[in-house]
Amino acid sequence: AQLRSHMLRSLFKLARYVNPSSWFRNESPLTLRELPGHLGLDIGGTLAKLVVATHDTPDGVAQLAALGPGSRCFPQLSFDAVGASPYQRRNQRRPSAGVQRRAADAGRSVLDHLFHTESSHATLQLRFVSVGTAGLEQAVRKLRSQFALEDMRQVREIVTAGGGGHKFAAMFREVLRVQLVPFKELQAVVDGLLFLSQFGPEDELYCQDDACYAWPETLFPFVLVNMGSGVSVLRVDGPQHFTRIGGTSVGGATFLGLSRALTGVGDFRELMRLAARGDASAIDKSVGDIYGAAGCTDLGMPHDLTAASFAKLSGADGELPAPASAP
């Protein structure tokens, strides 16, 4: 749910429709000018995310959005948002009163804005693409050295969350004739989550121990943890009422940076494969290592719960475990 919310955050303004006849012109960031429908961007410190929303999405439309080296499509995240039907069905199942009704109205107004109608039952298809922010910047700079688009006078506006909406605005307008319209990031995270609560898949919220959980009957208040390059923690009391109550600089970029420094591997999927072969108990101290079996029973805590990460590496007599090697 969080990843979709993160990627949906800038869907709340309309992007200009462009003729799809030129889709195949160039598998590069130029596709931002040429994809049909409504586009939303989030250009963060580590990843850039694109959502393509259309009424009738031809097969492979998301694959055409090759934003730069290493672009990935996420078909498992794709879903169809149906105009009024899910709204009516979910509100029959979960009546909204007070702030609950405002949440439903927030999700409703977003979909109405995209459908251009207050009562549409049409289907809006949402597809997702991501690429490393550094790769996207590199691809745009390469285009600037290879192409001249002075003849393309029409500028396409794309609402963009994240720091890249400000940092790359001038370059995108010059090279791609794309105007990045900055959108407040935390507001967009909340709006995207409320959109998903009304129109996302039924099992969207989360899964734990192979069990899927539905959205709660009472949504507000809740704590929202937004994990990106860093982490922000929000208390949300309503669609327009939220406060950032904390955060940490230790986020996704921390994992990628430390992993590259320790292993020389910078690809996330490869790092996940290596991690699956590792043994955290060789370097982390668990509650059982500190309290013993009897102490864990007295505490009522599992013995394998991590108490201190990397703690076993701090002992003077401890041997460093052999690192896993790439296959």
Side-chain angles (χ1 to χ4, degrees):
Q2 181 182 325
L3 178 57
R4 281 201 188 98
S5 176
H6 195 63
M7 300 170 86
L8 278 165
R9 58 179 54 179
S10 49
L11 264 178
F12 311 118
K13 300 283 185 178
L14 288 175
R16 187 169 300 170
Y17 185 88
V18 178
N19 191 324
S21 63
S22 56
W23 288 353
F24 296 94
R25 189 162 66 89
N26 198 320
E27 293 186 2
S28 75
L30 283 173
T31 57
L32 289 173
R33 288 194 51 83
E34 301 160 354
L35 284 169
H38 315 297
L39 307 185
L41 270 173
D42 169 39
I43 307 178
T46 304
L47 289 175
K49 285 78 65 176
L50 170 70
V51 58
V52 182
T54 61
H55 296 291
D56 298 295
T57 305
D59 292 338
V61 66
Q63 283 81 350
L64 295 173
L67 300 179
S71 289
R72 290 188 63 200
C73 300
F74 294 87
Q76 70 275 22
L77 297 180
S78 300
F79 71 97
D80 296 340
V82 181
S85 299
Y87 172 76
Q88 294 169 346
R89 183 181 69 250
R90 294 191 186 191
N91 281 280
Q92 289 171 356
R93 185 180 70 244
R94 185 185 66 217
S96 294
V99 291
Q100 291 300 119
R101 184 177 294 109
R102 292 197 294 272
D105 291 342
R108 175 74 257 163
S109 64
V110 169
L111 202 64
D112 287 339
H113 193 48
L114 292 173
F115 279 128
H116 304 283
T117 177
E118 295 296 326
S119 60
S120 174
H121 290 255
T123 298
L124 186 71
Q125 300 175 338
L126 296 107
R127 305 294 181 261
F128 301 89
V129 182
S130 77
V131 67
T133 298
L136 175 61
E137 180 181 9
Q138 176 186 358
V140 176
R141 292 188 183 280
K142 183 177 180 180
L143 280 173
R144 180 161 60 182
S145 67
Q146 295 178 346
F147 295 92
L149 301 181
E150 288 80 1
D151 58 319
M152 299 177 66
R153 300 187 182 279
Q154 185 180 19
V155 174
R156 182 176 195 176
E157 292 185 348
I158 302 178
V159 176
T160 305
H166 299 273
K167 182 178 179 181
F168 301 128
M171 183 170 63
F172 271 58
R173 185 177 180 91
E174 172 195 349
V175 179
L176 306 178
R177 297 297 187 266
V178 167
Q179 180 66 54
L180 302 181
V181 181
F183 191 83
K184 291 184 178 180
E185 182 168 350
L186 297 183
Q187 178 66 65
V189 173
V190 174
D191 287 349
L193 191 67
L194 296 181
F195 178 87
L196 288 174
S197 75
Q198 294 298 312
F199 301 103
E202 295 291 338
D203 60 351
E204 178 67 31
L205 191 55
Y206 63 90
C207 294
Q208 183 177 353
D209 299 328
D210 297 324
C212 292
Y213 296 82
W215 291 88
E217 292 295 320
T218 301
L219 191 59
F220 299 114
F222 62 86
V223 173
L224 173 59
V225 181
N226 183 42
M227 296 182 289
S229 298
V231 178
S232 288
V233 182
L234 311 178
R235 176 192 165 101
V236 184
D237 294 293
Q240 303 298 325
H241 302 283
F242 59 88
T243 305
R244 186 181 187 274
I245 58 176
T248 173
S249 60
V250 179
T254 310
F255 169 76
L256 292 173
L258 280 175
S259 297
R260 185 175 183 183
L262 292 170
T263 68
V265 177
D267 179 75
F268 179 78
R269 285 166 288 182
E270 179 62 21
L271 289 169
M272 290 295 97
R273 285 192 287 269
L274 289 175
R277 298 169 53 197
D279 180 9
S281 66
I283 60 172
D284 295 341
K285 279 192 176 180
S286 68
V287 174
D289 292 327
I290 299 173
Y291 279 85
C296 289
T297 301
D298 186 57
L299 287 171
M301 300 177 71
H303 70 89
D304 57 352
L305 181 67
T306 301
S309 299
F310 301 103
K312 290 183 179 178
L313 300 182
S314 64
D317 299 328
E319 294 184 4
L320 294 176
S325 57

